Amino acid sequence: MSGSPHASFGPVALGVSAALCDGELVAGDVLVQDGRVVAVGAEPPPGGGSGIAVPGFLDLHINGLVGVDFLSTDEDGYARASAALARTGVTGYLPTFITSPLEDYAGALEVAAHAQAAGAEHGARVLGVHLEGPYLSPRWPGAHDPHQLRTPDVDEALGLCELGPVTMVTLAPELDGALELVSALTARGVVVSCGHSDADAAVAVAAFDRGARAITHLWNAHRRWAPRDPGIGGLALVRPDVTVQAIVDHVHLAPETAYGAFLAAGSRFSLVTDAMEAAGQGDGVFRLGRREVEVQGARVALADGSLAGSVLTMDQAVRNLVGLGASFAEAVWAATGAPAQLLGDPELGVLRAGAPANVTVLDEELQVVRTLVAGAEAFVAAA
Ligand code: ZN
């Protein structure tokens, strides 16, 4: 940490040439004070400034990175992960737990609660936990241990939510009791995303009508789109109230598959990394929960070849989406506004006067050069 913009000396200017505010590029500098943005379009610095300020990126699906596995790490691990995430432009995230034995959740949720309480101290903030499972389809387990998958049980699930800051749950809505669970979680304010699911269109409609609001990693580990059954993926693409989350690493989805989903979903298209502890570590053998996975280049897989998370970073996902044909503003929205709307927090994913100073500064190649979390300097690229 290189020190925070200090409140008592008045606003601090970021020295940028422009800011992306509500999808519009606003020329001029950005001023920050007391953890908040106090002005955009301010008097440019001498020489015009450099870089474009955008809202800080959000990642709602990340299992780990830089050797940290959120299910098994401690508070120091979260500190390292939060610092590493800030280097990729991420200012808020949901540590994501894959399906695990029930007894593994309590400790992991307690550590996550402590990490959340640390706020912006180490970099990106923990916004809550995403439980991916254990109520998933045995037909589409992906990298989840099939022996640990469970039948939905409202009391059991609400019990898990009592153990820590559960913000999102991925479940398969076609399982017995799953629709009741969608209602119960939604009533509690937990975001329900459908995934690892064999749901057909009719079940998908029922789940979304009950309050499920997203699909988890579109086209990975769920029922396929068939001519007369669009399945849960097809439904998610056309429902105006459903957020489409996708891993745009060009490994989980062919580039054209990802771009097609983006074109269909528009502002509902939300980038996630689904990164795991190997992200930022190079090739080798790593853990995902209790499972062993092998990393080669951009590919992470179990011994049987199933994809098992990614080594994607959010800034790379944004660059990938621009490379496919999205505009700069659209790609940034997919990493900021879209996930923020899913979480329903109006203070997230925005860059405007009065908003919390969660700001990422990008250069012309869309590389992250600086990240502020709640006004605190979390990353500055070496000059
Ligand atoms: Zn998954």
Side-chain angles (χ1 to χ4, degrees):
M1 308 283 281
S2 52
S4 310
H6 205 285
S8 56
F9 298 105
V12 169
L14 298 188
V16 295
S17 61
L20 187 65
C21 306
D22 299 323
E24 300 290 329
L25 212 50
V26 177
D29 209 348
V30 172
L31 306 183
V32 170
Q33 186 171 24
D34 293 335
R36 293 200 170 248
V37 173
V38 292
V40 297
E43 180 75 24
S50 68
I52 295 175
V54 303
F57 299 154
L58 304 169
D59 191 352
L60 308 190
H61 193 154
I62 178 165
N63 309 283
L65 75 164
V66 293
V68 174
D69 177 41
F70 291 125
L71 251 175
S72 57
T73 195
D74 56 13
E75 287 175 61
D76 289 342
Y78 271 97
R80 286 201 306 282
S82 287
L85 281 165
R87 295 197 289 273
T88 70
V90 172
T91 58
Y93 65 105
L94 299 184
T96 301
F97 300 168
I98 68 162
T99 297
S100 299
L102 272 191
E103 63 268 24
D104 285 7
Y105 287 104
L109 282 164
E110 189 183 341
V111 173
H114 287 294
Q116 184 173 27
E121 190 180 337
H122 305 291
R125 283 193 305 139
V126 172
L127 303 174
V129 169
H130 176 181
L131 296 182
E132 191 185 18
Y135 311 113
L136 306 179
S137 167
R139 286 193 173 193
W140 301 95
H144 295 248
D145 184 348
H147 301 295
Q148 300 300 337
L149 298 178
R150 302 179 70 80
T151 301
D153 179 313
V154 169
D155 290 340
E156 180 182 281
L158 294 182
L160 287 176
C161 294
E162 291 292 332
L163 296 172
V166 176
T167 300
M168 184 182 303
V169 171
T170 289
L171 56 74
E174 75 280 11
L175 300 177
D176 282 348
L179 292 176
E180 290 70 29
L181 184 52
V182 171
S183 297
L185 289 170
T186 301
R188 196 191 156 91
V190 174
V191 176
V192 175
S193 186
C194 298
H196 291 271
S197 163
D198 201 43
D200 62 13
V203 172
V205 167
F208 295 138
D209 284 349
R210 285 202 181 217
R213 279 292 164 267
I215 186 161
T216 296
H217 47 55
L218 183 80
W219 302 133
N220 294 123
H222 64 79
R223 190 183 186 95
R224 299 308 179 214
W225 188 347
R228 283 164 296 284
D229 174 21
I232 190 144
L235 255 291
L237 281 176
V238 301
R239 285 270 303 216
D241 54 352
V242 173
T243 299
V244 172
Q245 303 180 93
I247 309 166
V248 184
D249 62 355
H250 299 349
V251 172
H252 282 77
L253 301 173
E256 298 82 359
T257 306
Y259 192 48
F262 163 76
L263 290 175
S267 64
R268 299 179 291 111
F269 189 82
S270 178
L271 293 166
V272 295
T273 64
D274 200 3
M276 43 76 68
E277 66 165 42
Q281 301 288 89
D283 290 355
V285 175
F286 297 88
R287 287 163 303 149
L288 179 62
R290 293 189 173 199
R291 312 200 88 186
E292 195 169 89
V293 301
E294 185 167 0
V295 177
Q296 282 185 302
R299 186 180 177 85
V300 185
L302 296 178
D304 70 4
S306 306
L307 291 181
S310 85
V311 290
L312 180 64
T313 58
M314 188 54 80
D315 59 324
Q316 185 62 52
V318 168
R319 289 189 293 271
N320 287 347
L321 192 53
V322 168
L324 292 175
S327 71
F328 172 64
E330 289 169 335
V332 168
W333 175 265
T336 58
Q341 288 195 343
L342 179 58
L343 290 186
D345 183 342
E347 296 236 290
L348 287 175
V350 292
L351 173 52
R352 62 171 79 106
N358 300 313
V359 183
T360 294
V361 180
L362 302 173
D363 68 13
E364 284 173 10
E365 275 77 50
L366 308 186
Q367 300 286 340
V368 177
V369 294
R370 188 176 186 183
T371 306
L372 282 84
V373 183
E377 199 89 76
F379 170 66
V380 185

